[in-house]
Amino acid sequence: NAGVTQTPKFQVLKTGQSMTLQCAQDMNHNSMYWYRQDPGMGLRLIYYSASEGTTDKGEVPNGYNVSRLNKREFSLRLESAAPSQTSVYFCASRDGLAAKAFYEQYFGPGTRLTVT
Amino acid sequence: LAKTTQPISMDSYEGQEVNITCSHNNIATNDYITWYQQFPSQGPRFIIQGYKTKVTNEVASLFIPADRKSSTLSLPRVSLSDTAVYYCLVGNSGYSTLTFGKGTMLLVSP
């Protein structure tokens, strides 16, 4: 199993450009998440999808949109990139059925995005 | 969500035991305590989760006192490869999301 995969690994955008970050998981997990991590900060939740067909805003959703394409895939779109969106983006997934494993999220390797 | 407080950084030497304490005074009755580890340039990795007393796995031990207002992650005989940021999280299945604080940066030296 590959676990959680993310593409691309690195990306440089100019201000105003758009792009989509892709995430896929092969663990048959119900829930998927997008986080961003800035230097010296913990992870901040952008959007999440508790199950296929649903998406909800997290702590910092402004400037982003998401699509839960199917159970495996959850994409994050920047419609008009801004320098403030320079960050490392992590996708994660979890099995939402086991209460005790609630906090056991599996993370992808991250996408390093620079907006100039 | 229960607020957590943990040291910003800790230093240790190879072979020592490291204990990282997390304070969570307003933990709810049905909250679990979970720890994650993050290496540079990688996503966080689940280490251990517990509700009360002691939990041990192949990586670490988690000690939770009876009042559950704090917890201690114990890493036995650390090596250089244990240098990472360690996050303490508190919550339960009623919350759909995780809240990561700034974590504790553990630096292990030779």
Side-chain angles (χ1 to χ4, degrees):
Chain A
N1 287 351
V4 178
T5 57
Q6 293 182 234
T7 55
K9 287 188 168 52
F10 301 93
Q11 183 72 49
V12 178
L13 292 178
K14 293 187 185 325
T15 297
Q17 287 186 318
S18 63
M19 79 160 295
T20 299
L21 281 64
Q22 306 287 354
C23 173
Q25 53 90 10
D26 62 3
M27 296 171 283
N28 202 34
H29 286 171
N30 293 315
S31 302
M32 297 185 73
Y33 305 81
W34 276 106
Y35 296 88
R36 61 176 289 174
Q37 186 171 37
D38 301 304
M41 308 269 300
L43 282 79
R44 292 184 291 170
L45 182 66
I46 305 171
Y47 269 94
Y48 66 98
S49 170
S51 61
E52 187 179 356
T54 68
T55 61
D56 285 287
K57 295 179 181 179
E59 183 184 354
V60 289
N62 291 345
Y64 305 95
N65 284 302
V66 291
S67 295
R68 183 73 183 268
L69 305 170
N70 48 55
K71 193 170 185 179
R72 289 187 63 248
E73 298 171 289
F74 189 38
S75 62
L76 178 72
R77 182 159 179 84
L78 287 70
E79 291 291 350
S80 179
S84 61
Q85 293 178 306
T86 293
S87 188
V88 181
Y89 291 84
F90 290 102
C91 176
S93 70
R94 76 172 178 96
D95 178 356
L97 298 179
K100 206 175 173 194
F102 168 73
Y103 270 172
E104 187 166 0
Q105 290 194 359
Y106 294 81
F107 284 79
T111 294
R112 295 183 177 277
L113 175 67
T114 301
V115 183
T116 61
Chain B
L1 292 172
K3 178 178 166 58
T4 59
T5 302
Q6 50 182 126
I8 293 174
S9 64
M10 294 182 68
D11 294 321
S12 182
Y13 293 97
E14 282 190 292
Q16 290 188 334
E17 178 185 71
V18 171
N19 295 310
I20 306 174
T21 296
C22 179
S23 172
H24 29 79
N25 290 321
N26 59 339
I27 188 170
T29 302
N30 54 349
D31 281 346
Y32 282 84
I33 299 155
T34 309
W35 286 79
Y36 276 78
Q37 174 191 57
Q38 185 178 24
F39 297 115
S41 302
Q42 294 187 26
R45 181 176 75 108
F46 173 90
I47 304 177
I48 196 165
Q49 180 176 282
Y51 183 79
K52 61 180 179 180
T53 62
K54 177 183 173 182
V55 179
T56 297
N57 61 24
E58 65 278 4
V59 176
S61 294
L62 178 59
F63 298 93
I64 305 168
D67 67 6
R68 303 197 332 121
K69 293 184 184 299
S70 66
S71 59
T72 299
L73 175 73
S74 181
L75 304 172
R77 296 180 297 280
V78 294
S79 64
L80 297 177
S81 62
D82 291 315
T83 292
V85 178
Y86 293 83
Y87 296 96
C88 165
L89 298 95
V90 172
N92 63 62
S93 61
Y95 301 107
S96 298
T97 64
L98 287 177
T99 298
F100 284 82
K102 295 184 179 180
T104 297
M105 175 65 218
L106 172 65
L107 177 62
V108 180
S109 300

